[in-house]
Amino acid sequence: ALVENPDALLGRFDPAFLKVPTEALISSMRDHQKYFHVIDAKGRLLPVFITVSNIRSTAPGRVRAGNERVLNARLADARFFWETDNRQPLDNRVDELDGVLFHQALGSLYDKTRRLETLSVKIAQTLRADETLCAKAAHLCKADLVTGMVGEFPELQGTMGRYLAQHDKEPAAVARAIEEHYLPRHARDKLPASVPGRVLALADRIDSLVGLFLAGEEPTGDKDPYGLRRAALGVIRILIEKKVDLDIVELVNHSADTYAATGNPVSTNAKKQCIAFVMERYRALYAALGFAQDEISAVLEAGANRPLDFDRRLKALAKFRHHRDAASLAAANKRIRNILRKSEQSIGEELDPQLLTNTAEIALSQAILETAGAIAPAIARADYPAALRILAGLRPVVDRFFDEVMVMAEDLPLRANRLTLLGQLSSLFLTIADISLLQTPERPSGR
């Protein structure tokens, strides 16, 4: 959209500039000059570029020469910054971060770096990852922000950190993690491929989320100046798509501990708000994938601290709702929840077998015990489709119970015992999802 009568010209630049990191050269051509860079069959950058003018010139050589002169000056600047940055190890730049503000209530980027070191080690321990590599990557991950290259090319933060770490002979895993910890940058961006990269990406985002909720900077309406929605979605995507089974509540608590250790305690309310904010991102993510809102709500009601586990439950429930007994069980669960909610009596936990007088309630009690034992192994191995199929087997005995038993009996001990029985049945279903929230008729859902 920059020209109406495009005319392409091929220009060249000094091959000596190819010693500068490729991304910086491409940024100079593409972003600064609106040129096309050129690569060979193996993907290597060539010392040529394509520029597009708005008219077919009668002196193309002069146009080419003018563009080459401008580009060579740009690339000379990039080379100067690169050579200057190489004179100082990345490790020596960490202290400079103390002069770069992260947030007025949360301190400098140096303060954030120290928190990331602690939090990364904690996450690495949980995942049984290499703590030393993760701590080193966390120590260096923000240091390239005070380099000349990133000052000139802000979009290359992390990328320049990788190059400089490689130049300093840091472990390859550390250099890679420095670049990967910024991933994903947007909704459809790739995710960190290495374990240290994932650890650091999670630590960075959780630290920002907890800290900014502590500082009262939570998003309001459409305003999200710190990109917290994007950060929360990034956390969820990493945990689910890379099959990292971590607990959001534990991550938030670990991060809160790092703030408390530096004299900045996080209130219980701020932690709750942060956790709720992260979990609410499930809706946007899975609605975009085609899952129905009632399916998402049903699984959220059963607890969703572990995103990977949430993903498995939701996919199992989305398929289960097409089971022949699903609609009947959902209706029965709604009835149970309504009875329990409207009851003025407290619901006990222990059932009194001597008060089970009706054959239908005796059958239900026995079925609950048998089903609980049967689904426990399936739930332990996260085989939720199998667990839901087992629960579906309760339908006949549940239907019979409601046909033959008066729950709200005049006899108060008898009524209390039957309410306890229903409470046990409700809890059994809630081990996977609150299927009482499933709406009828069925709605199409993603798989």
Side-chain angles (χ1 to χ4, degrees):
L2 297 178
V3 294
E4 295 178 346
N5 185 26
D7 185 58
L9 291 171
L10 184 70
R12 298 182 180 276
F13 59 85
D14 187 346
F17 286 126
L18 294 176
K19 295 179 181 179
V20 178
T22 299
E23 291 86 351
L25 301 179
I26 292 174
S27 183
S28 291
M29 288 184 272
R30 182 190 60 207
D31 301 330
H32 291 188
Q33 298 302 124
K34 311 302 180 189
Y35 296 162
F36 292 94
H37 64 280
V38 182
I39 57 175
D40 64 15
K42 294 183 179 180
R44 294 172 300 198
L45 187 66
L46 295 173
V48 295
F49 65 93
I50 299 170
T51 183
V52 181
S53 64
N54 196 33
I55 190 172
R56 181 177 292 276
S57 174
T58 56
R62 292 177 63 186
V63 176
R64 180 183 299 109
N67 280 279
E68 288 175 342
R69 184 171 60 254
V70 171
L71 180 59
N72 275 280
R74 284 281 190 185
L75 298 185
D77 289 342
R79 179 168 61 185
F80 169 79
F81 289 122
W82 172 241
E83 292 175 349
T84 301
D85 290 339
N86 277 332
R87 295 171 188 163
Q88 183 178 359
L90 198 59
D91 204 347
N92 289 358
R93 297 182 180 275
V94 175
D95 287 345
E96 296 179 40
L97 294 171
D98 201 29
V100 182
L101 185 67
F102 171 55
H103 186 280
Q104 59 184 1
L106 307 174
S108 66
L109 281 178
Y110 179 79
D111 298 320
K112 181 178 177 71
T113 297
R114 296 297 299 272
R115 293 193 300 270
L116 292 183
E117 292 175 31
T118 303
L119 187 53
S120 292
V121 168
K122 196 71 176 179
I123 296 173
Q125 289 172 344
T126 305
L127 298 179
R128 297 182 181 179
D130 191 314
E131 298 172 32
T132 303
L133 287 177
C134 292
K136 185 64 172 179
H139 180 68
L140 298 176
C141 70
K142 302 299 182 184
D144 68 339
L145 296 178
V146 291
T147 62
M149 282 293 277
V150 173
E152 181 72 9
F153 305 101
E155 68 277 9
L156 299 184
Q157 59 183 4
T159 301
M160 286 300 109
R162 170 172 62 86
Y163 277 108
L164 291 168
Q166 290 170 341
H167 180 269
D168 297 341
K169 307 299 185 204
E170 296 288 354
V174 170
R176 186 177 186 181
I178 291 172
E179 181 174 41
E180 288 186 335
H181 93 279
Y182 285 104
L183 301 177
R185 293 181 177 87
H186 50 78
R188 293 180 177 83
D189 198 12
K190 60 184 179 180
L191 300 175
S194 70
V195 173
R198 293 170 205 158
V199 169
L200 190 50
L202 290 170
D204 187 30
R205 286 162 176 77
I206 291 293
D207 175 83
S208 293
L209 284 160
V210 172
L212 290 165
F213 268 86
L214 165 64
E217 298 283 9
E218 63 272 17
T220 56
D222 294 332
K223 295 182 179 180
D224 186 11
Y226 295 98
L228 295 186
R229 291 188 181 94
R230 184 173 65 249
L233 279 171
V235 169
I236 292 173
R237 281 193 60 206
I238 291 170
L239 295 179
I240 292 172
E241 295 178 38
K242 292 301 180 180
K243 301 191 183 309
V244 181
D245 193 12
L246 293 178
D247 189 308
I248 294 294
V249 175
E250 290 181 4
L251 287 174
V252 168
N253 286 334
H254 290 328
S255 180
D257 290 342
T258 67
Y259 277 98
T262 57
N264 212 349
V266 182
S267 69
T268 301
N269 187 52
K271 287 191 286 187
K272 287 181 178 179
Q273 286 181 324
C274 182
I275 292 166
F277 176 80
V278 174
M279 292 185 183
E280 189 60 28
R281 306 281 75 74
Y282 286 125
R283 291 193 181 277
L285 178 62
Y286 283 97
L289 293 174
F291 288 87
Q293 287 294 335
D294 60 344
E295 295 167 353
I296 298 170
S297 296
V299 182
L300 283 173
E301 189 67 22
N305 293 358
R306 309 182 84 92
L308 182 59
D309 190 62
F310 174 90
D311 181 78
R312 291 166 175 164
R313 290 170 188 259
L314 179 61
K315 289 175 179 175
L317 183 65
K319 292 180 180 178
F320 174 74
R321 76 177 310 163
H322 299 288
H323 190 282
R324 63 180 181 275
D325 293 328
S328 176
L329 285 171
N333 267 264
K334 288 178 185 177
R335 185 174 180 181
I336 292 168
R337 296 298 292 273
N338 286 335
I339 292 172
L340 295 176
R341 185 169 55 251
K342 293 177 181 179
S343 172
E344 297 179 356
Q345 290 180 259
S346 59
I347 310 301
E349 295 183 4
E350 295 294 330
L351 195 67
D352 185 348
Q354 294 183 349
L355 292 177
L356 298 174
T357 58
N358 187 292
T359 56
E361 63 181 340
I362 294 172
L364 179 59
S365 175
Q366 185 175 352
I368 290 174
L369 287 174
E370 293 174 352
T371 302
I375 69 170
I379 291 176
R381 63 176 183 269
D383 187 355
Y384 297 115
L388 284 167
R389 287 194 297 272
I390 295 170
L391 286 174
L394 287 170
R395 179 193 169 182
V397 70
V398 171
D399 287 347
R400 180 189 172 195
F401 175 85
F402 281 119
D403 286 342
E404 300 181 11
V405 176
M406 173 64 71
V407 176
M408 306 304 286
E410 293 294 330
D411 186 320
L412 294 182
L414 187 63
R415 179 194 303 179
N417 204 52
R418 289 172 177 173
L419 288 171
T420 298
L421 183 62
L422 291 185
Q424 291 180 349
L425 180 59
S426 178
S427 297
L428 187 60
F429 275 93
L430 276 173
T431 55
I432 301 173
D434 184 357
I435 67 171
S436 71
L437 296 178
L438 294 181
Q439 303 296 315
T440 52
E442 296 176 3
R443 293 181 293 171
S445 63
R447 300 294 178 263

